Amino acid sequence: MKKTFIVANWKSNFTTKDATQWLTTFIEKVEDQDLALKEIVICPSFTLLPTVFMHLQQFPQLQISLGAQDISPFSEGSFTGAVNGAQIKEFATSVLIGHSERRIQFKEDNVILTQKITMAQQFLLQSFLFIQNEKTPLLPNANFFVYEPPSAISPGKPDTPENANAVAQMLKKQRNITPVLYGGSVTQENVQSFTHMPNLDGVIVGKASLSPTSFAKIVTYA
Ligand code: PGA
């Protein structure tokens, strides 16, 4: 049986106090579930990584891993504001790369994104590369693809599970070993319609992951 990936993308939300409260509620709701076939990844802001990491260390049996929302395209050195792969690796095992918010608001192009994937690879961090549509270049060496059309991101409308499955199938034709996740307005109500699709290996959840109760339900139904 294949594992289902359920990734929480908290985006630019939460203080350490909020994150601790979130974890307390979420863990209460999932600790008795059978999570053997579920791979939960939480992606908080950089400042929250140590807090979330230490909290999760108390629950090793849940095997929840941490992802960073970004990575510096450079190694350590004189790059003010950048958080490099070695720093991320202290707390996280994966990293999000090429989200449409980064491509549009932060003007990240394929050159920068390729450097970021290279850095992730160098520090043995798994990279989740976001693919906005059929024309998005499948940059080499990404470990996961996340098909997420920008129009589907909350408060937009989710893509249909059938179309997401068709895109995932097309991506797998080109790179058949790469798992494909769907993102864009995933909720507890629709998660199963995506995770039940044969070519989708999981989901990434933004807005609905900000409520620990909703995210726990998403984990249950995925
Ligand atoms: P959403 O965000 O679930 O709020 O649509 C998903 C994402 O942008 O990764």
Side-chain angles (χ1 to χ4, degrees), residues 2 24 29 91 103 106 119 121 126 138 141 146 181 191-192:
K2 66 170 189 173
T24 305
K29 294 189 184 295
F91 307 106
R103 292 182 195 252
F106 296 87
M119 277 298 148
Q121 208 183 12
Q126 301 274 304
L138 306 185
N141 301 320
V146 181
L181 278 59
V191 63
Q192 215 167 66

Side-chain angles (χ1 to χ4, degrees), residues 103 109-110 113-114 117 129 131 137-142 145 175:
R103 292 182 195 252
D109 61 15
N110 289 321
L113 298 178
T114 301
I117 296 172
L129 177 68
I131 305 294
L138 306 185
L139 304 175
N141 301 320
F145 292 134
R175 300 267 182 84

Side-chain angles (χ1 to χ4, degrees), residues 43-58:
C43 303
S45 302
F46 286 130
T47 53
L48 304 175
L49 282 173
T51 304
V52 179
F53 177 80
M54 283 188 293
H55 198 110
L56 291 177
Q57 272 195 323
Q58 301 166 57

Side-chain angles (χ1 to χ4, degrees), residues 9 11 99 101 130 148 152-154 184-186 204-207:
N9 177 9
K11 306 193 181 184
H99 192 288
E101 289 154 12
F130 286 74
E148 186 176 88
I153 296 174
S154 315
S185 297
V186 173
I204 185 155
V205 189
K207 189 156 181 273

Side-chain angles (χ1 to χ4, degrees), residues 81-100:
V83 179
N84 68 56
Q87 294 171 317
I88 293 170
K89 184 75 188 164
E90 286 192 284
F91 307 106
T93 53
S94 58
V95 58
L96 308 182
I97 296 178
H99 192 288
S100 57

